[in-house]
Amino acid sequence: MNSEIKKLFGLVKPYLKKANPDRLKHTLRVLKFAEEIAKREKVNLKVIRFAVILHDIGKFKETKDKDHSLISAELSKKILNNFKFSDEEIKNILHCVLVHGLFKKGTAKTKEAEIIQD
């Protein structure tokens, strides 16, 4: 695990643990599968890794009126300021996080978002 990913996990662990003690295990399982798919699909692995790690950080604040995907995307914007990404990469990560829980056909607009939705 590289230093950026370790730093990211350090920032998101409190959010994941607030949601559920097993949320971190879930995130690690999703990360493993998403990385495998991403390598076969030849997409931006860094975007995939960050999107997966961030995708459920809003679970602890989810309500019946506000899906955790929206909350996760909002929180992710702030966290991503701690890392160097192009504007396009940030846009893609946030899109992945936002649509991962919105299982409506056609919501994923990038290959990375399709992988995260799967």
Side-chain angles (χ1 to χ4, degrees):
M1 192 179 301
N2 72 35
S3 61
E4 275 191 318
I5 298 300
K6 284 181 184 177
K7 179 180 175 180
L8 180 60
F9 267 118
L11 294 170
V12 303
K13 274 183 187 178
Y15 295 108
L16 296 173
K17 287 183 178 183
K18 270 188 202 178
N20 179 315
D22 291 328
R23 187 59 37 195
L24 181 58
K25 290 178 189 174
H26 161 77
T27 299
L28 291 170
R29 281 192 311 273
V30 173
L31 182 60
K32 179 183 175 212
F33 292 124
E35 285 177 332
E36 289 173 14
I37 296 167
K39 288 174 185 173
R40 279 184 291 193
E41 295 290 326
K42 297 182 172 93
V43 298
N44 188 323
L45 195 54
K46 186 175 177 182
V47 166
I48 289 289
R49 286 177 174 145
F50 272 72
V52 167
I53 295 166
L54 293 165
H55 84 278
D56 273 350
I57 63 172
K59 275 277 194 190
F60 76 100
K61 287 181 85 174
E62 184 172 50
T63 67
K64 66 178 183 165
D65 297 322
K66 192 164 186 183
D67 186 78
H68 77 277
S69 301
L70 297 167
I71 300 163
S72 294
E74 291 168 2
L75 293 169
S76 295
K77 284 181 193 177
K78 296 172 188 166
I79 291 171
L80 288 171
N81 288 331
N82 293 286
F83 301 92
K84 292 186 185 213
F85 284 102
S86 69
D87 290 343
E88 194 60 37
E89 287 173 316
I90 289 173
K91 183 178 171 183
N92 196 358
I93 293 168
L94 294 175
H95 174 68
C96 292
V97 171
L98 182 62
V99 303
H100 90 273
L102 307 173
F103 297 109
K104 296 176 186 146
K105 187 175 172 131
T107 54
K109 305 286 186 219
T110 65
K111 282 278 211 191
E112 291 85 359
E114 288 175 1
I115 292 168
I116 302 299
Q117 258 189 347
D118 286 346

